[in-house]
Amino acid sequence: DSGVTQTPKHLITATGQRVTLRCSPRSGDLSVYWYQQSLDQGLQFLIQYYNGEERAKGNILERFSAQQFPDLHSELNLSSLELGDSALYFCASSAGGGGYEQYFGPGTRLTVT
Amino acid sequence: ILNVEQSPQSLHVQEGDSTNFTCSFPSSNFYALHWYRWETAKSPEALFVMTLNGDEKKKGRISATLNTKEGYSYLYIKGSQPEDSATYLCALANNYQLIWGAGTKLIIKP
């Protein structure tokens, strides 16, 4: 158990809908990262927050947004969902920036029908 | 665009044999190099974070070395066991994010 929690574990929704994925980092960690893993693909970095501020952005679509709250939990919002958004979404946390190891949550499996 | 290359893409190793694989990265502006193990149906798990040229780290039967001047890192597994079957990912760190390699998929044959 990494100490990172993600909810929900599974989500099934229809195209065009909007969903919110939630992540609670490990106690004491200030950084939260969001990743997408599509079928047979590697980890795609989406976005990173550090202590409430956005610090780095990867291949995140404009339909996706995220935020980190004062209690350090983070939410990833996915809107106008398309079939291709079906994927496993991981959240990871770390104590700081790139020099710190990341602890991954169990992931949220999103299926768009 | 920074590119992190891992080779080989996949590897079949007999149980009990030792093995190693490579992570290559641009050597300029090096900050840190990460290794993770990713078992099927689980989440990636950190193995090592290395920052200094010549760094060697060890965790049980797994060890890693780092050469920042020539831009590569090796991961070694001694006496492979079935539980070592996983995808091994390396990632190059800048200040805030990791640039991930595609991974080496290791399959241990009993």
Side-chain angles (χ1 to χ4, degrees):
Chain A
D1 183 2
S2 67
V4 178
T5 59
Q6 288 187 249
T7 55
K9 276 191 174 175
H10 302 278
L11 199 47
I12 301 173
T13 190
T15 54
Q17 295 297 305
R18 173 190 167 94
V19 296
T20 297
L21 313 184
R22 183 188 168 103
C23 168
S24 292
R26 224 169 49 118
S27 177
D29 283 355
L30 298 177
S31 279
V32 168
Y33 302 78
W34 285 98
Y35 294 95
Q36 179 192 57
Q37 190 214 359
S38 302
L39 192 64
D40 293 333
Q41 299 290 311
L43 283 173
Q44 297 297 317
F45 169 69
L46 295 177
I47 198 163
Q48 185 224 354
Y49 283 83
Y50 177 81
N51 203 21
E53 290 188 14
E54 181 187 305
R55 283 295 174 92
K57 224 168 186 176
N59 300 321
I60 188 166
L61 298 171
E62 283 192 18
R63 300 183 285 108
F64 296 1
S65 65
Q67 54 184 325
Q68 187 180 28
F69 294 88
D71 67 351
L72 300 177
H73 91 270
S74 179
E75 292 181 357
L76 179 68
N77 300 296
L78 314 176
S79 61
S80 303
L81 285 167
E82 301 175 359
L83 294 177
D85 298 328
S86 296
L88 187 54
Y89 291 85
F90 285 109
C91 163
S93 75
S94 76
Y100 295 88
E101 59 189 21
Q102 295 186 11
Y103 296 86
F104 282 76
T108 292
R109 169 76 63 187
L110 173 66
T111 302
V112 182
T113 61
Chain B
I1 296 176
L2 292 179
N3 207 25
V4 176
E5 303 278 350
Q6 289 190 249
S7 62
Q9 203 169 20
S10 66
L11 193 52
H12 288 71
V13 173
Q14 198 69 40
E15 183 178 348
D17 287 353
S18 296
T19 187
N20 65 85
F21 25 93
T22 307
C23 174
S24 302
F25 52 86
S27 55
S28 59
N29 298 319
F30 178 84
Y31 188 80
L33 194 284
H34 294 228
W35 281 101
Y36 290 78
R37 174 169 58 201
W38 194 1
E39 295 179 62
T40 303
K42 293 190 177 180
S43 305
E45 179 188 343
L47 289 172
F48 308 113
V49 178
M50 295 186 288
T51 55
L52 299 175
N53 184 44
D55 241 355
E56 289 188 31
K57 296 219 170 175
K58 188 175 179 181
K59 188 182 280 191
R61 294 179 292 98
I62 304 177
S63 60
T65 61
L66 178 66
N67 184 323
T68 60
K69 292 184 193 298
E70 296 183 35
Y72 64 83
S73 175
Y74 293 138
L75 191 80
Y76 301 90
I77 301 178
K78 188 176 175 182
S80 303
Q81 299 297 309
E83 60 265 28
D84 296 328
S85 293
T87 296
Y88 290 83
L89 298 169
C90 73
L92 181 67
N94 62 21
N95 273 342
Y96 300 114
Q97 64 171 292
L98 302 184
I99 293 115
W100 294 84
T104 292
K105 185 169 183 175
L106 177 64
I107 298 162
I108 306 300
K109 299 181 288 186

